[in-house]
Amino acid sequence: MMKNAGTSKESILAASRKLVAEKGLAAVNMRSVGKACDLALGSIYYYFPSKDDLLLATIASVWDDIFSWEGPDFVPSSDHADFSFPAYIAQFFDHLAEGIARYPHFFTIHSLSFSERGQEKGSSTMRQYLASIEGRMVLALERDKGVSPRAFSGDFTEEAFIDMVLTTMIALLVQRKDNPSALVEMVRRSLYFPE
């Protein structure tokens, strides 16, 4: 079978994401993706030289689908005076919950696939992606004009706070908890207090 004229790396990744959504990450392999795209194995190998390359690209693509958010308050403009970081966290949590619902068990399978195989490249990709998310969250935090000037110190930096918030958010979602109210309240109490 020849490579289809409309074949692209993104169309292969779209088919891979669909497999993950329907059957889980374990269903993604060269043959299943080729069948889903109606492509010969050689065409899949043209874009992804190995199964590991296909899996890593698929995982990154799923992460991107889950975490990408172009909502109005994702990174608000600097003149957005009434922006609230705790409200932003609640909105972001809801967005992530919707994304995770599209990929049942993805976080569990994803983390196990890295730990069992010891794939440093996969872990590195995941860390880079989370660092990018944390960077955008730091920007959002900096735009909240109501944060107390005493909220952060040398031992408790904005970056450490964001890392803790994102880690907690992911832990809640992995545990299938759909109410972020305790996390949002923790964020609020950490950022705002009387002078």
Side-chain angles (χ1 to χ4, degrees), residues 2-194:
M2 298 292 290
K3 185 173 74 162
N4 293 345
T7 300
S8 69
K9 194 172 192 175
E10 184 48 46
S11 67
I12 293 169
L13 288 174
S16 297
R17 286 192 306 272
K18 187 174 180 192
L19 282 169
V20 172
E22 293 173 354
K23 300 178 182 177
L25 188 59
V28 176
N29 60 58
M30 296 299 203
R31 289 192 190 282
S32 65
V33 172
K35 184 176 179 181
C37 294
D38 194 27
L39 292 174
L41 283 178
S43 297
I44 303 295
Y45 279 105
Y46 175 80
Y47 292 101
F48 303 97
S50 72
K51 179 182 176 185
D52 283 345
D53 290 325
L54 177 62
L55 282 174
L56 290 172
T58 299
I59 288 168
S61 184
V62 170
W63 274 81
D64 190 51
D65 187 37
I66 291 171
F67 279 93
S68 65
W69 183 25
E70 301 303 327
D73 291 330
F74 187 61
V75 181
S77 64
S78 56
D79 62 348
H80 202 12
D82 62 343
F83 175 73
S84 160
F85 189 74
Y88 160 84
I89 291 299
Q91 288 178 336
F92 192 34
F93 183 93
D94 289 344
H95 172 77
L96 292 181
E98 290 171 10
I100 288 171
R102 290 191 299 271
Y103 302 98
H105 310 293
F106 174 73
F107 276 100
T108 304
I109 293 170
H110 177 215
S111 60
L112 288 175
S113 69
F114 282 132
S115 62
E116 287 177 5
R117 295 182 192 149
Q119 296 177 346
E120 182 54 37
K121 186 175 178 181
S123 295
S124 174
T125 300
M126 182 175 64
R127 284 191 302 270
Q128 288 173 358
Y129 199 85
L130 289 176
S132 170
I133 297 296
E134 288 176 350
R136 287 185 275 171
M137 290 176 77
V138 167
L139 287 175
L141 177 60
E142 290 171 351
R143 303 246 167 94
D144 185 338
K145 303 303 180 198
V147 173
S148 170
R150 297 183 304 141
F152 300 104
S153 67
D155 293 330
F156 187 60
T157 64
E158 291 176 348
E159 291 79 11
F161 176 70
I162 292 298
D163 181 60
M164 179 186 67
V165 169
L166 185 57
T167 300
T168 304
M169 191 180 301
I170 291 171
L172 288 171
L173 291 165
V174 167
Q175 296 170 25
R176 307 240 186 274
K177 297 187 178 175
D178 59 0
N179 185 344
S181 59
L183 172 62
V184 171
E185 183 62 15
M186 180 195 71
V187 167
R188 190 188 67 73
R189 290 182 187 209
S190 298
L191 299 179
Y192 314 126
F193 47 87

